[in-house]
Amino acid sequence: METAIRRPNWLSRLNAVWAPPAVLDFWLSRLNPLWSWGHARARVIELHPEADGVTTLVLRPNRHFRGFRPGQHVTVGVEIDGVRYTRSYSASDMPRADGRIRITVKTVEGGKVGAFLQTIPVGSVLSLGQAFGELCVPDEPAPCLMLAAGSGITPLLSLVNAQAAAGFRRPVRLAYWARTRAQLVQAEALRAFASRHPNFKVHFMLTGEASQAADELEGRIEPRHLTTLLSGDEQAHVLACGSYGFVERVREVLGDRCLSFRAEAFSPPPRVIDASDQGHVRVTLLKSGQTLDIPRNKSLLEALEEQGVKPRHGCRMGICNTCACGKSSGATRHLHDRSVQHEPTQALRLCIQAAQSDLSLEL
Ligand code: FES
């Protein structure tokens, strides 16, 4: 693993008097881009094309990265044409002894960061957030049904690899939806697991091509698929990952066939904005001393960015907590369920809250 600067606490305190960490980080990164006084960074050491528009990056983090659990995500930061961007990606493999982490990146239409990462030179250094996310396989030994659509496969690959390392001690079935065969990621590795472990089965669900192989089925998820995935009146712990629409459809189709249901969507639910969300409010940024007028019909993150303020952010959909900041006063409205919060908080997520009244924020 590459170098990060480790220092005892007394040295941190002394340093805080001598020079702010941001200044030290600047000079350390001039000596070696991976060096930092306190921030996780990672060097890109391998790139593996996986499928149409999909590439896996192998990253070697510095010692500030605290590791991850299968199913978790990390926030990656890159600079493109002088502008800093951050995006969240799932780890696509389980943790390994060498500390390396794999993320699998897909190009999306108009998406700058995905396209940039797919051709990033080996040796480049990225900033890395600490891992987050709660998707996991429950401990009870009941069957586990994993359902993935498109990029939703990445955290499930990490979980399948972890189950494989443990010898598939419980029945695990994976159904993986893609439009075409060429878009499937790690199909052969999954087939290899299935051929070696009777407790693991994989089904590739194609929505834009006819099925050909014995482990392929056609069509979007519907009740008839359950008879293939679950035998008789069998129930399973279900993990689902895909777009918001996919996850909601899975929930609907499964009904009461699951012992537990854990899901992660990589797209947010539709935002509920109505005619009453008009006008502007005054936002006071307590740390910078700025006062701004922002619209009530946008997320606080978007509204602040339009005014030239650049809060830290990652997923932009309320998962990673990167954008959380304190709110000392005022009311905000949740953009997904329209609930209104009047109380002061330390953890207001700017990407999924809109201003309801004048606000004071710890920014
Ligand atoms: S940016 Fe991830 S929670 Fe707001």
Side-chain angles (χ1 to χ4, degrees):
M1 186 165 299
E2 302 211 24
T3 310
I5 306 298
R6 291 268 188 195
R7 71 286 178 196
N9 280 343
W10 64 267
L11 190 52
S12 296
R13 287 197 290 275
L14 183 63
N15 171 63
V17 176
W18 174 57
V23 175
L24 264 177
D25 267 2
F26 174 83
W27 288 110
L28 286 170
S29 68
R30 290 297 170 279
L31 297 172
N32 181 330
L34 209 60
W35 288 1
S36 164
W37 196 252
H39 290 113
R41 292 182 181 149
R43 191 180 294 283
V44 179
I45 55 171
E46 290 169 30
L47 249 60
H48 300 283
E50 294 272 12
D52 279 357
V54 183
T55 301
T56 291
L57 282 72
V58 182
L59 309 177
R60 186 162 59 209
N62 68 12
R63 287 184 206 161
H64 293 304
F65 182 62
R66 295 196 290 268
F68 69 98
R69 293 193 310 274
Q72 286 196 304
H73 321 270
V74 291
T75 300
V76 166
V78 290
E79 195 171 301
I80 306 173
D81 299 331
V83 180
R84 185 127 204 97
Y85 296 89
T86 53
R87 293 288 181 275
S88 299
Y89 295 100
S90 305
S92 51
D93 195 2
M94 59 180 283
R96 301 280 172 183
D98 61 12
R100 296 176 182 192
I101 175 169
R102 285 173 177 259
I103 58 170
T104 298
V105 175
K106 185 176 192 304
T107 310
V108 290
E109 206 180 316
K112 270 195 172 146
V113 180
F116 177 83
L117 287 176
Q118 300 217 26
T119 55
I120 193 168
V122 167
S124 305
V125 171
L126 315 169
S127 77
L128 204 59
Q130 299 301 339
F132 64 93
E134 304 301 326
L135 201 64
C136 64
V137 175
D139 289 336
E140 310 92 81
C144 181
L145 176 59
M146 301 187 185
L147 305 167
S151 306
I153 191 62
T154 45
L156 298 190
L157 283 175
S158 172
L159 291 164
V160 168
N161 285 335
Q163 292 292 307
F168 286 110
R169 285 201 290 263
R170 64 164 75 216
V172 176
R173 287 151 217 173
L174 171 67
Y176 173 14
W177 276 261
R179 203 168 59 75
T180 65
R181 210 167 277 109
Q183 293 174 341
L184 292 169
V185 173
Q186 298 269 313
E188 291 319 308
L190 292 167
R191 282 186 166 122
F193 282 150
S195 68
R196 288 201 303 271
H197 298 281
N199 248 356
F200 177 66
K201 291 192 173 35
V202 62
H203 300 276
F204 299 104
M205 322 294 268
L206 303 172
T207 58
E209 283 183 339
S211 60
Q212 290 173 0
D215 56 10
E216 292 177 353
L217 292 171
E218 291 169 25
R220 297 180 185 282
I221 183 165
E222 48 185 278
R224 75 183 161 97
H225 291 136
L226 287 188
T227 53
T228 308
L229 302 172
L230 294 173
S231 55
D233 57 0
E234 186 181 40
Q235 292 195 322
H237 292 294
V238 178
L239 308 182
C241 192
S243 64
Y244 174 77
F246 172 77
V247 165
E248 286 308 295
R249 178 68 183 146
V250 167
R251 203 190 295 272
E252 196 181 315
V253 166
L254 279 169
D256 58 4
R257 296 291 298 274
C258 41
L259 296 168
S260 66
F261 184 74
R262 301 176 191 212
E264 273 189 4
F266 56 69
S267 61
R271 292 186 167 180
V272 191
I273 291 178
D274 72 20
S276 65
D277 302 326
Q278 298 302 316
H280 286 65
V281 297
R282 176 143 293 203
V283 175
T284 305
L285 306 182
L286 297 169
K287 288 188 183 161
S288 68
Q290 281 177 283
T291 306
L292 307 166
D293 287 330
I294 64 163
R296 295 169 72 235
N297 63 1
K298 290 187 172 164
S299 75
L300 284 163
L301 181 61
E302 288 169 90
L304 290 170
E305 284 177 338
E306 280 176 8
Q307 301 262 350
V309 180
K310 302 286 180 205
R312 274 164 35 87
H313 65 270
C315 65
R316 302 183 79 94
M317 46 188 276
I319 299 174
C320 70
N321 236 26
T322 310
C323 66
C325 77
K327 177 187 76 173
S328 321
S329 65
T332 51
R333 183 173 44 75
H334 197 292
L335 280 166
H336 301 159
D337 61 14
R338 294 196 63 78
S339 60
V340 175
Q341 289 83 38
H342 297 273
E343 300 303 316
T345 175
Q346 286 305 309
L348 177 78
R349 283 172 291 169
L350 299 171
C351 64
I352 51 165
Q353 296 281 341
Q356 182 80 4
S357 70
D358 289 353
L359 296 174
S360 298
L361 300 177
E362 306 283 343
L363 281 176

